[in-house]
Amino acid sequence: MSLLSTREVTTALTATGVGLAAVVAAGLLGWPGAPFDCASNPCYCELPTAGFVRQVGNTWSNLGAVFAGLLVAFRSARERAQREAEHRPSAAHDVLGLLAPPALVFQGVGSMFFHGGLTHWGSALDAMSMFAIAGLLALTQVMRLGWLEVGGLVRGWGLLTLGGLAVGLWSPPLVATLMFGLFLSILATEVVLSRRGLSPHPSLFRIGLATHVGAIAVWFLSAGEGLPLCAPHSIWQGHGLWHLAAAAAVTLMVLHLRRNLALAPSRA
């Protein structure tokens, strides 16, 4: 069986094609819509231009998350083929393998919409993409604890993703606070899982956590003019480094979940 024809890879490739085509179309149309208010909310250092995208470095650095999504899709498809060959079905692995790759792709594409056009609607899509991937991680942790079934994870993930869009549209300043809350929930549930012996292979999570903490530091140090990692006229942006590091951190956490998911209580 060719991996290219698997549902995991097909879904991720479709998300990539549709997402990048939409970004290109919006750029060709001149990014219509109300501009984002960079005076009251940060637009992350890079001086906007009148080109195809408003922030070149901050836009294209999001390709890291897109590529990460594709890599996770291929790995998930290969692992599912191995499980099927060994007659070890796992609905939890199948759902995570199907949802995580497009969520990672959307993490990159959603941020492209924001930095590419600096519009209000682009900011809302960026928020939606963050809730999609962080919400999936948080709900998978809950499922690993046996508190949520696979069907409940899918429904909860859909609600969280739509909730992210709503928050992005009506209260952009609230996005960072809620994302921090989701991050704490992922960390707290991992502590509980570890104490219950359900995370015997924690290395990927720990590396991902350290990467994410470093990425947050980069985020703060590149948020605006006068900060050490801010160079407004350069395409080499500290915030672009944040995009790459955040994509790496999330990918490591997804791989950690897949590695330890088999130990989830039978309800999952």
Side-chain angles (χ1 to χ4, degrees):
M1 178 180 65
S2 170
L3 290 179
L4 285 174
S5 63
T6 59
R7 58 178 178 259
E8 294 90 349
V9 175
T10 300
T11 301
L13 286 173
T14 300
T16 299
V18 171
L20 293 181
V23 170
V24 171
L28 292 174
L29 292 172
W31 298 100
F36 187 73
D37 183 8
C38 293
S40 59
N41 295 284
C43 284
Y44 307 107
C45 179
E46 188 174 6
L47 189 68
T49 69
F52 178 71
V53 293
R54 301 291 185 257
Q55 294 181 321
V56 178
N58 285 345
T59 298
W60 299 120
S61 57
N62 286 293
L63 286 173
V66 175
F67 289 134
L70 294 175
L71 289 174
V72 171
F74 276 96
R75 181 173 180 136
S76 298
R78 186 165 52 247
E79 290 178 354
R80 178 171 61 83
Q82 292 174 350
R83 289 196 311 275
E84 290 177 350
E86 297 169 2
H87 304 289
R88 294 186 295 107
S90 172
H93 278 94
D94 290 350
V95 167
L96 185 61
L98 192 60
L99 295 183
L104 270 164
V105 170
F106 188 30
Q107 177 183 339
V109 171
S111 185
M112 284 184 188
F113 274 114
F114 173 57
H115 293 289
L118 296 179
T119 61
H120 181 64
W121 62 268
S123 171
L125 286 180
D126 186 21
M128 185 182 187
S129 71
M130 289 187 284
F131 274 80
I133 188 62
L136 181 60
L137 291 174
L139 290 170
T140 302
Q141 291 285 77
V142 174
M143 184 176 68
R144 291 177 64 208
L145 285 166
W147 301 343
L148 190 67
E149 297 177 353
V150 171
L153 180 145
V154 175
R155 291 188 294 272
W157 179 71
L159 290 173
L160 270 177
T161 301
L162 290 175
L165 177 62
V167 174
L169 285 171
W170 288 294
S171 185
L174 188 58
V175 171
T177 301
L178 293 177
M179 287 302 301
F180 183 66
L182 280 173
F183 171 73
L184 288 181
S185 74
I186 294 168
L187 183 57
T189 48
E190 185 62 26
V191 171
V192 175
L193 285 159
S194 180
R195 289 179 175 176
R196 293 186 180 183
L198 298 175
S199 279
H201 307 291
S203 57
L204 291 177
F205 186 89
R206 291 175 179 175
I207 297 170
L209 178 61
T211 303
H212 189 65
V213 171
I216 292 174
V218 171
W219 187 92
F220 278 107
L221 293 173
S222 62
E225 280 196 71
L227 293 173
L229 297 181
C230 176
H233 297 278
S234 174
I235 65 170
W236 304 107
Q237 289 294 315
H239 194 71
L241 178 59
W242 146 260
H243 289 153
L244 295 172
V250 170
T251 302
L252 288 166
M253 290 183 180
V254 169
L255 296 178
H256 163 78
L257 295 182
R258 293 189 60 80
R259 175 184 287 184
N260 293 277
L261 196 55
L263 294 176
S266 58
R267 182 182 182 188

